[in-house]
Amino acid sequence: AVVSTQSGHYGRGAFQTAAVIYIKYIQVFRKLEECYYQIVHPQKRIVLKHVLDGTMGRLLELKNEMVNLEFSEYHFFDDVLSDMKLTPADIEIPVPRYFTQDNEKDIKDRMKLMAETLAKYRLDETSDKKEEIKMSLEEAIKIIQVHERARQGCLRAKFMREIRAQEEREKMLAMQGASTMDPDVASTIIQKVWKGYSQRNKTLKLREEELIFIGMQPGSDTPTHHKDSPVSKVSKREEERVLIQAQHEREYQDALVNIKEKIREAEGPDIKENMQDQIRQWFIETRDATGKFPDYPSDDEGGSAAIFKTKNGEGGEDGAEGESGKKKGKKGKKKKGEKKEKKKK
């Protein structure tokens, strides 16, 4: 029993730790989502989206860990929220807005396809029904007459039932004796009800006027859809931000292609020439070392990339030593030529 109590205590402690981390990740997720929605810089949005996806993945991992600890899909964070001075609204997980914004075209296409499919299905249904129902004009008139007579009969029966119920109530009142009320008492009750209703309306009106006066509620002359109202300004700003985000994203994607093409046109020939010189030098060096020209690497071996890889692997110190040796050899040859000229003189 002691062992089970200790294990339960440790399990509860592990859940509390996981719950604290889970709530902190939710707060980070909410802030990142808001930042991603506010920022219009395309490259920053790419980085933020990557971080946001990672945060959502970590939230799912923590949720799975808490489920394994408590064996329940539902968790209670009352103690943790009180310790962290948070409310339940602070740990609500919102749906990221880029789920709908980035996939807006796909969602519209899907909704359009569903609408077309439903319209086609309903059209088929109506056409089938029209084909099934076939009758003459006389038969249709008879059916309408039958339904109209049934409707009138139901109304007549209902009316007679109400009359009988009224007669029975009058008989009961006559047998028991009708209760009488003092007119002053009746007028007092009516006045009390009316004054309460009137005062409640006046209180609501005064409250609305006070809220309008302190600016917490728009008045009737300043509707929320007015172009100068704060609500309309905020919604307009959000729409403009979405358009700017889409425009910057298009410009960024176009710039990637244009810059790549410019680099290819400006530096492509030089890069190509340098690569050819390096491949040619590799052939010559290999021939000098082995006595024959090597086979060009196949596609499975990496092609020309394998040549540059071996050259870079051999480079560094060996390449520097080779270059310094060549320079020393040139200097030695110059010195020998100078000595020979002095002897001749």
Side-chain angles (χ1 to χ4, degrees):
V2 175
V3 174
S4 63
T5 305
Q6 290 178 352
S7 62
H9 174 71
Y10 293 147
R12 188 62 187 172
F15 174 78
Q16 291 288 337
T17 304
V20 171
I21 299 173
Y22 181 74
I23 291 173
K24 289 183 178 179
Y25 264 102
I26 290 176
Q27 292 177 319
V28 172
F29 166 74
R30 290 167 67 95
K31 292 177 181 177
L32 285 174
E33 199 274 333
E34 188 65 28
C35 289
Y36 182 80
Y37 181 68
Q38 297 286 339
I39 290 176
V40 297
H41 195 284
Q43 293 165 320
K44 291 180 181 178
R45 283 171 60 84
I46 292 172
V47 176
L48 271 176
K49 187 176 180 181
H50 182 69
V51 177
L52 197 56
D53 292 338
T55 306
M56 287 190 287
R58 183 58 182 152
L59 278 173
L60 294 175
E61 292 176 358
L62 287 169
K63 177 67 177 179
N64 186 34
E65 187 175 350
M66 289 190 296
V67 170
N68 293 332
L69 287 171
E70 279 209 333
F71 302 103
S72 175
E73 293 284 342
Y74 303 97
H75 312 292
F76 300 95
F77 303 114
D78 301 342
D79 300 338
V80 181
L81 290 176
S82 62
D83 293 340
M84 299 178 70
K85 294 180 175 55
L86 298 173
T87 62
D90 295 329
I91 61 171
E92 290 183 359
I93 302 177
V95 178
R97 280 165 280 197
Y98 72 87
F99 279 6
T100 55
Q101 288 181 358
D102 294 354
N103 302 320
E104 186 176 2
K105 185 178 179 182
D106 296 337
I107 293 172
K108 286 183 178 179
D109 294 341
R110 192 182 303 119
M111 295 299 293
K112 184 178 178 181
L113 179 62
M114 289 178 64
E116 292 176 354
T117 305
L118 289 174
K120 184 179 179 181
Y121 178 71
R122 289 170 184 167
L123 184 63
D124 294 342
E125 270 191 346
T126 53
S127 62
D128 293 341
K129 289 180 180 178
K130 287 178 180 178
E131 290 178 0
E132 291 176 0
I133 299 172
K134 293 181 180 180
M135 63 176 65
S136 62
L137 181 61
E138 296 178 356
E139 292 177 352
I141 293 172
K142 288 181 180 179
I143 291 173
I144 293 171
Q145 288 176 348
V146 169
H147 283 282
E148 180 62 23
R149 288 169 184 170
R151 186 184 69 80
Q152 292 179 2
C154 292
L155 290 175
R156 193 178 296 109
K158 182 180 178 182
F159 181 67
M160 294 301 295
R161 191 163 48 248
E162 291 176 355
I163 291 175
R164 290 194 189 97
Q166 183 67 23
E167 290 176 354
E168 290 178 359
R169 282 195 297 272
E170 290 177 357
K171 288 180 181 179
M172 293 292 294
L173 291 173
M175 292 173 62
Q176 295 177 359
S179 60
T180 58
M181 182 181 292
D182 188 6
D184 295 336
V185 175
S187 62
T188 303
I189 293 173
I190 294 171
Q191 289 175 2
K192 181 177 68 174
V193 173
W194 169 250
K195 285 181 179 180
Y197 172 76
S198 177
Q199 189 61 39
R200 283 192 294 272
N201 289 338
K202 289 180 180 179
T203 305
L204 289 174
K205 189 175 181 181
L206 289 173
R207 186 180 300 170
E208 290 179 358
E209 290 177 356
E210 183 181 0
L211 291 174
I212 293 170
F213 178 73
I214 62 178
M216 294 184 65
Q217 182 176 334
S220 58
D221 55 343
T222 56
T224 55
H225 61 271
H226 195 266
K227 63 179 182 179
D228 295 332
S229 64
V231 177
S232 61
K233 287 182 180 179
V234 171
S235 61
K236 184 178 179 181
R237 182 65 62 186
E238 289 179 353
E239 293 175 359
E240 290 177 356
R241 187 188 302 118
V242 171
L243 294 175
I244 292 171
Q245 288 173 352
Q247 180 183 357
H248 287 188
E249 182 66 25
R250 287 194 300 270
E251 291 176 357
Y252 173 68
Q253 296 297 334
D254 295 339
L256 289 177
V257 178
N258 295 334
I259 292 172
K260 187 176 180 181
E261 292 296 329
K262 287 180 181 178
I263 292 174
R264 182 177 295 173
E265 292 175 0
E267 301 182 6
D270 295 337
I271 294 173
K272 183 178 179 182
E273 187 177 353
N274 292 333
M275 292 174 69
Q276 290 176 349
D277 293 341
Q278 291 180 15
I279 294 172
R280 195 178 296 111
Q281 184 180 358
W282 176 75
F283 272 103
I284 294 170
E285 289 176 356
T286 308
R287 186 201 61 181
D288 294 341
T290 60
K292 61 178 182 179
F293 286 106
D295 295 331
Y296 194 82
S298 62
D299 294 338
D300 297 334
E301 295 175 353
S304 60
I307 298 174
F308 297 114
K309 186 176 180 181
T310 54
K311 287 181 69 62
N312 293 332
E314 294 173 357
E317 296 179 357
D318 296 341
E321 289 177 359
E323 289 179 0
S324 61
K326 290 178 181 178
K327 291 179 181 177
K328 288 179 181 178
K330 290 179 180 178
K331 289 180 181 178
K333 290 178 181 179
K334 287 182 180 179
K335 289 180 180 179
K336 289 179 182 179
E338 291 176 358
K339 288 180 181 178
K340 288 180 181 179
E341 288 178 358
K342 287 180 180 179
K343 289 180 181 178
K344 289 179 180 179
K345 290 179 180 178

